[in-house]
Amino acid sequence: MSLLDIFKRRASAPVARERLQVLLAYERNNRDQPDLVAVLREEIMAVIAKHVQVNQDDVRITMDRGKTTSTLEIDINIPNAGAAASTAL
Amino acid sequence: MGKVVVVTSGKGGVGKTTSTAALGGVLAQTGKKVVLIDFDVGLRNLDLVMGAERRVVFDLVNVTQGVAKLSQALIRDKRVESLFLLPASQTRDKDALTEEGVANVIGKLRDKFDYVLCDSPAGIERGAQLAMRFADEAIIVTNPEVSSVRDSDRIIGLLDSKTLKAEQGEDVTKHVLVTRYDTARAARGEMLSIDDVLEILSVPLLGIIPENQGVLRASNVGSPVTLNEPANAAARAYADAARRLQGEDVPMVLPVEKKGLLNRLLGRRVA
């Protein structure tokens, strides 16, 4: 069995532990308060909507929560001047 | 027009989420466009089993309430590009889902995907009934164990009465998927056999998934077992079940535990 162990891929339990730690740390923190990333997302979208009309289909939001930092990516196709809702650019 | 398939069971812990992920993974890998919907509002887990838990921005409830567009809430799988996940909401309670909202979402997904797999919550309450409401087909996940079989029987009753198809006088096509099967124990008479289960439920068999350690390894790392260890016995059983779901005639074989050198050599190939 030990010979087999040498060839075995990395044990999966540590991966599971780490994934759970990251997830639960986040969920416990957010249980009774608004989700920071959701708040940021809403406020950023509100600011943009104040200045340009953006079709909801032209907004791509992705997120990746990490152990120490998370990334929030908001990708918006803003229509150029000349398009219907022209703004001073 | 895609097919809407609910993965249900009544009883919890029998393998609905594991089976949804595994079947979805292998269907997508064979070229189908597949979306998995987690209906377990408040206790979502399909995101975790699929390894997408860090990437959830919007969820099913957000989409039904118009907060987010469907396209914004769908999470594309990082391994197979035709595989998508629509996560459940973690914070709201089950009443946040309305029948109209679900009808609308499923209607749109049905147009875009070949398979819409609905991962039902356990139980027979509203959440489970909404998950099966618009299904064309149902996969009833059953363990060869008395309480699971009993609960499957109740779910079959609901499929025959509470679904839209049933109300329109049609049938939801039903399949039984037996999971955590141990051929040796069944042979020794320590476990209900496949024949026992089928005789009691009288629903055709979609597949027999053996009890297998690879299933836990796959969920540990957040990957469907069919993608994580495709050569593994459970993964192959899921692949066969997926082919039967598509109407192929694949002979049913009782999973046998291979032992010894051959197994080790075959097992090695998996890594």
Coordinates of all heavy atoms in Angstrom, one line a residue, chain A residues 1 4 7 9 12-13 15-16 18-20 22-23 27 41 56-57 59 61-66, chain B residues 48 51 53-58 67-69 71-72 90 217 219-222 229 264 268 270-271:
Chain A
M1 N 0.8 -1.2 0.0 CA 0.0 0.0 0.0 C 0.9 1.3 0.0 O 0.5 2.3 -0.6 CB -0.9 0.0 1.2 CG -2.3 0.5 1.0 SD -3.1 0.0 -0.5 CE -4.3 1.2 -0.7
L4 N 1.9 2.4 -3.3 CA 0.8 3.0 -4.0 C 0.6 4.5 -3.6 O 0.4 5.4 -4.4 CB -0.5 2.3 -3.7 CG -1.7 2.7 -4.6 CD1 -1.5 2.3 -6.0 CD2 -3.0 2.0 -4.0
F7 N 2.5 7.3 -5.3 CA 2.0 7.7 -6.6 C 0.6 8.5 -6.5 O 0.2 9.0 -7.4 CB 1.8 6.5 -7.5 CG 3.1 5.9 -7.9 CD1 3.5 4.8 -7.3 CD2 4.0 6.6 -8.8 CE1 4.8 4.2 -7.6 CE2 5.2 6.0 -9.2 CZ 5.6 4.8 -8.5
R9 N -2.3 11.0 -5.9 CA -2.4 12.4 -6.0 C -2.5 13.0 -4.7 O -2.8 12.3 -3.7 CB -3.5 12.8 -6.9 CG -4.9 12.8 -6.2 CD -5.9 12.4 -7.1 NE -6.1 11.0 -7.0 CZ -7.1 10.3 -7.5 NH1 -7.9 10.9 -8.4 NH2 -7.2 9.0 -7.3
S12 N -7.4 14.8 -0.9 CA -8.4 15.8 -1.2 C -9.0 16.4 0.0 O -9.5 17.5 -0.1 CB -9.5 15.1 -2.1 OG -10.1 14.1 -1.3
A13 N -8.8 15.8 1.2 CA -9.4 16.3 2.4 C -8.8 17.7 2.7 O -9.6 18.6 3.1 CB -9.2 15.4 3.6
V15 N -7.9 20.0 0.7 CA -8.5 20.9 -0.2 C -9.9 21.2 0.3 O -10.3 22.4 0.3 CB -8.6 20.3 -1.6 CG1 -9.3 21.2 -2.6 CG2 -7.3 19.8 -2.1
A16 N -10.6 20.2 0.7 CA -12.0 20.4 1.3 C -12.0 21.3 2.5 O -12.8 22.2 2.6 CB -12.6 19.0 1.6
E18 N -9.8 23.6 3.3 CA -9.5 25.0 3.0 C -10.7 25.6 2.3 O -11.0 26.8 2.6 CB -8.3 25.0 2.1 CG -7.7 26.4 2.0 CD -6.6 26.6 0.9 OE1 -5.8 25.6 0.8 OE2 -6.6 27.7 0.3
R19 N -11.3 24.9 1.4 CA -12.5 25.5 0.7 C -13.6 25.9 1.7 O -14.2 26.9 1.7 CB -13.1 24.5 -0.3 CG -12.2 24.3 -1.5 CD -12.7 23.2 -2.4 NE -14.0 23.6 -3.0 CZ -15.0 22.8 -3.1 NH1 -15.0 21.6 -2.7 NH2 -16.2 23.3 -3.6
L20 N -13.8 25.0 2.7 CA -14.8 25.2 3.7 C -14.4 26.4 4.6 O -15.3 27.2 4.9 CB -15.0 24.0 4.6 CG -16.0 23.0 4.0 CD1 -16.1 21.7 4.8 CD2 -17.4 23.6 3.9
V22 N -12.6 29.0 3.9 CA -12.8 30.3 3.2 C -14.3 30.6 3.1 O -14.7 31.7 3.4 CB -12.2 30.2 1.7 CG1 -12.6 31.4 0.9 CG2 -10.7 30.1 1.8
L23 N -15.1 29.6 2.7 CA -16.5 29.8 2.6 C -17.2 30.2 3.9 O -18.0 31.1 4.0 CB -17.1 28.6 1.9 CG -18.6 28.7 1.6 CD1 -18.9 29.7 0.5 CD2 -19.2 27.3 1.3
E27 N -19.3 33.4 5.1 CA -20.7 33.3 5.5 C -21.0 33.7 6.9 O -22.0 34.3 7.2 CB -21.2 31.9 5.2 CG -21.3 31.6 3.7 CD -22.1 30.3 3.3 OE1 -22.2 29.5 4.2 OE2 -22.5 30.2 2.2
R41 N -21.6 46.4 -5.3 CA -22.1 46.2 -6.6 C -23.3 47.2 -6.8 O -23.4 47.9 -7.9 CB -22.5 44.7 -6.7 CG -23.1 44.4 -8.1 CD -24.4 43.6 -8.0 NE -24.3 42.4 -7.1 CZ -25.3 42.0 -6.4 NH1 -26.5 42.7 -6.4 NH2 -25.2 41.0 -5.6
Q56 N -29.0 46.4 -18.9 CA -28.5 45.4 -17.9 C -27.8 44.3 -18.6 O -27.0 43.6 -18.0 CB -29.8 44.9 -17.2 CG -29.5 44.9 -15.6 CD -30.6 44.1 -14.9 OE1 -31.7 44.0 -15.3 NE2 -30.2 43.5 -13.8
D57 N -28.1 44.0 -19.9 CA -27.4 42.9 -20.6 C -25.9 43.2 -20.8 O -25.1 42.4 -21.1 CB -28.1 42.7 -21.9 CG -29.4 41.9 -21.7 OD1 -29.5 41.2 -20.8 OD2 -30.3 42.1 -22.6
V59 N -23.9 44.5 -18.7 CA -23.1 44.4 -17.5 C -22.8 43.0 -17.1 O -23.6 42.1 -17.0 CB -24.0 45.1 -16.3 CG1 -23.2 45.1 -15.0 CG2 -24.4 46.5 -16.7
I61 N -20.9 40.9 -14.2 CA -20.3 41.0 -12.9 C -19.7 39.6 -12.5 O -20.4 38.6 -12.5 CB -21.4 41.4 -11.8 CG1 -22.0 42.7 -12.3 CG2 -20.7 41.6 -10.4 CD1 -23.2 43.1 -11.4
T62 N -18.4 39.6 -12.1 CA -17.9 38.4 -11.6 C -17.2 38.6 -10.3 O -16.8 39.7 -10.0 CB -16.8 37.8 -12.6 OG1 -15.8 38.8 -12.8 CG2 -17.5 37.4 -13.9
M63 N -17.1 37.6 -9.6 CA -16.5 37.7 -8.2 C -15.7 36.5 -7.9 O -15.9 35.4 -8.4 CB -17.7 37.7 -7.3 CG -17.4 38.3 -5.9 SD -18.8 38.6 -5.0 CE -19.7 37.1 -5.1
D64 N -14.7 36.7 -7.1 CA -13.9 35.5 -6.6 C -13.5 35.8 -5.2 O -12.8 36.8 -4.9 CB -12.7 35.3 -7.5 CG -12.1 33.9 -7.3 OD1 -12.6 33.2 -6.3 OD2 -11.3 33.5 -8.1
R65 N -14.1 35.1 -4.3 CA -13.8 35.3 -2.9 C -12.6 34.5 -2.5 O -12.5 33.3 -2.7 CB -15.0 34.8 -2.0 CG -16.2 35.7 -2.2 CD -17.2 35.4 -1.0 NE -18.4 36.0 -1.4 CZ -19.4 35.3 -1.9 NH1 -19.3 34.0 -2.1 NH2 -20.6 35.9 -2.2
G66 N -11.6 35.2 -1.9 CA -10.4 34.5 -1.5 C -10.4 34.5 0.0 O -11.3 35.0 0.7
Chain B
L48 N -21.1 24.4 -4.1 CA -19.9 23.9 -3.4 C -19.4 22.6 -4.0 O -18.2 22.4 -4.3 CB -20.3 23.6 -1.9 CG -19.2 23.4 -0.9 CD1 -18.1 24.5 -0.9 CD2 -19.8 23.3 0.5
G51 N -17.7 23.4 -7.1 CA -16.5 24.2 -7.0 C -16.7 25.7 -7.4 O -15.7 26.3 -7.8
E53 N -18.4 28.0 -5.4 CA -18.9 28.7 -4.2 C -18.3 30.1 -4.1 O -19.0 31.0 -3.5 CB -18.7 27.9 -3.0 CG -17.3 27.8 -2.4 CD -16.4 26.8 -3.2 OE1 -16.9 26.2 -4.1 OE2 -15.2 26.6 -2.7
R54 N -17.1 30.3 -4.6 CA -16.6 31.7 -4.5 C -17.0 32.6 -5.6 O -16.7 33.8 -5.6 CB -15.0 31.6 -4.6 CG -14.4 30.8 -3.5 CD -12.9 30.8 -3.8 NE -12.2 30.0 -2.9 CZ -10.9 30.1 -2.7 NH1 -10.2 31.0 -3.4 NH2 -10.2 29.4 -1.8
R55 N -17.7 32.1 -6.5 CA -18.0 32.9 -7.7 C -19.5 33.3 -7.8 O -20.0 33.8 -8.8 CB -17.6 32.1 -9.0 CG -16.1 31.9 -9.0 CD -15.8 30.8 -10.0 NE -16.2 31.2 -11.4 CZ -16.6 30.4 -12.3 NH1 -16.6 29.1 -12.1 NH2 -16.9 30.8 -13.5
V56 N -20.3 33.0 -6.7 CA -21.7 33.3 -6.8 C -21.9 34.8 -6.6 O -21.6 35.3 -5.6 CB -22.5 32.5 -5.7 CG1 -23.9 32.9 -5.7 CG2 -22.3 31.0 -5.9
V57 N -22.5 35.4 -7.6 CA -22.9 36.8 -7.5 C -24.4 36.9 -7.3 O -24.9 37.5 -6.3 CB -22.5 37.6 -8.7 CG1 -22.8 39.1 -8.5 CG2 -21.0 37.4 -9.0
F58 N -25.1 36.4 -8.2 CA -26.6 36.4 -8.1 C -27.1 35.0 -8.0 O -26.4 34.0 -8.3 CB -27.2 37.1 -9.4 CG -26.8 38.5 -9.5 CD1 -25.9 38.9 -10.6 CD2 -27.3 39.5 -8.7 CE1 -25.6 40.2 -10.7 CE2 -26.9 40.8 -8.8 CZ -26.1 41.2 -9.8
V67 N -34.1 41.3 -10.0 CA -32.9 42.0 -9.5 C -31.7 41.8 -10.5 O -30.9 42.7 -10.7 CB -32.5 41.6 -8.1 CG1 -31.2 42.2 -7.6 CG2 -33.6 41.8 -7.1
A68 N -31.6 40.6 -11.0 CA -30.6 40.3 -12.0 C -31.1 39.6 -13.2 O -32.2 39.0 -13.2 CB -29.5 39.4 -11.3
K69 N -30.4 39.8 -14.3 CA -30.8 39.1 -15.5 C -30.3 37.6 -15.4 O -29.3 37.4 -14.8 CB -30.1 39.7 -16.7 CG -30.6 41.1 -17.1 CD -31.6 40.9 -18.2 CE -32.1 42.3 -18.6 NZ -32.9 42.2 -19.9
S71 N -28.7 35.9 -17.6 CA -27.4 35.8 -18.1 C -26.3 36.2 -17.0 O -25.2 35.7 -17.1 CB -27.2 36.6 -19.3 OG -27.5 38.0 -19.1
Q72 N -26.7 37.1 -16.1 CA -25.8 37.6 -15.1 C -25.6 36.6 -14.0 O -24.6 36.5 -13.3 CB -26.2 38.9 -14.5 CG -26.2 40.1 -15.6 CD -26.8 41.3 -15.0 OE1 -27.8 41.3 -14.3 NE2 -26.2 42.4 -15.3
Q90 N -28.8 31.8 -0.6 CA -28.4 31.2 0.7 C -29.1 31.9 1.8 O -29.3 31.4 2.9 CB -26.9 31.4 0.9 CG -26.3 30.8 2.1 CD -26.4 29.3 2.1 OE1 -27.3 28.6 1.7 NE2 -25.3 28.6 2.6
R217 N -14.0 12.2 -2.7 CA -12.8 12.9 -3.2 C -13.3 14.0 -4.1 O -12.7 15.1 -4.0 CB -11.9 12.0 -3.9 CG -11.0 11.1 -3.0 CD -9.9 10.5 -3.8 NE -10.3 9.6 -4.8 CZ -10.4 8.3 -4.6 NH1 -10.2 7.7 -3.5 NH2 -10.8 7.5 -5.6
S219 N -16.2 15.6 -4.3 CA -16.9 16.7 -3.6 C -15.9 17.5 -2.8 O -16.0 18.7 -2.6 CB -18.1 16.2 -2.9 OG -17.8 16.0 -1.5
N220 N -14.9 16.8 -2.2 CA -13.8 17.5 -1.5 C -13.2 18.6 -2.3 O -12.9 19.7 -1.8 CB -12.7 16.6 -1.1 CG -13.0 15.8 0.2 OD1 -13.9 16.2 0.9 ND2 -12.3 14.7 0.4
V221 N -12.9 18.3 -3.6 CA -12.2 19.3 -4.4 C -13.2 20.1 -5.3 O -12.7 21.0 -6.0 CB -11.1 18.6 -5.3 CG1 -10.1 17.9 -4.5 CG2 -11.8 17.7 -6.3
G222 N -14.4 19.9 -5.1 CA -15.4 20.7 -5.8 C -15.5 20.4 -7.3 O -15.5 21.3 -8.1
E229 N -12.7 12.1 -11.8 CA -12.1 10.8 -12.0 C -13.0 10.0 -13.0 O -13.7 9.1 -12.6 CB -12.1 10.1 -10.6 CG -11.4 10.8 -9.6 CD -11.3 10.0 -8.2 OE1 -11.5 8.8 -8.3 OE2 -11.2 10.6 -7.2
R264 N -5.4 -1.8 -9.5 CA -4.5 -0.8 -9.1 C -3.9 -0.1 -10.4 O -3.8 1.1 -10.4 CB -3.3 -1.3 -8.3 CG -3.8 -1.8 -6.9 CD -2.7 -2.2 -6.0 NE -3.3 -2.7 -4.8 CZ -2.7 -3.1 -3.7 NH1 -1.3 -3.0 -3.8 NH2 -3.3 -3.5 -2.7
R268 N -4.7 3.7 -11.2 CA -3.6 4.6 -11.4 C -3.9 5.6 -12.6 O -3.5 6.7 -12.6 CB -2.3 3.9 -11.6 CG -1.7 3.3 -10.4 CD -0.9 4.3 -9.6 NE 0.2 4.9 -10.5 CZ 0.2 6.1 -10.8 NH1 -0.7 7.0 -10.4 NH2 1.2 6.6 -11.6
V270 N -6.4 6.8 -13.5 CA -7.3 7.9 -13.2 C -6.6 9.2 -12.9 O -7.1 10.3 -13.3 CB -8.2 7.4 -12.0 CG1 -9.1 8.5 -11.6 CG2 -9.0 6.2 -12.4
A271 N -5.6 9.1 -12.1 CA -4.9 10.3 -11.7 C -4.4 11.2 -12.8 O -4.7 12.4 -12.9 CB -3.7 10.0 -10.8

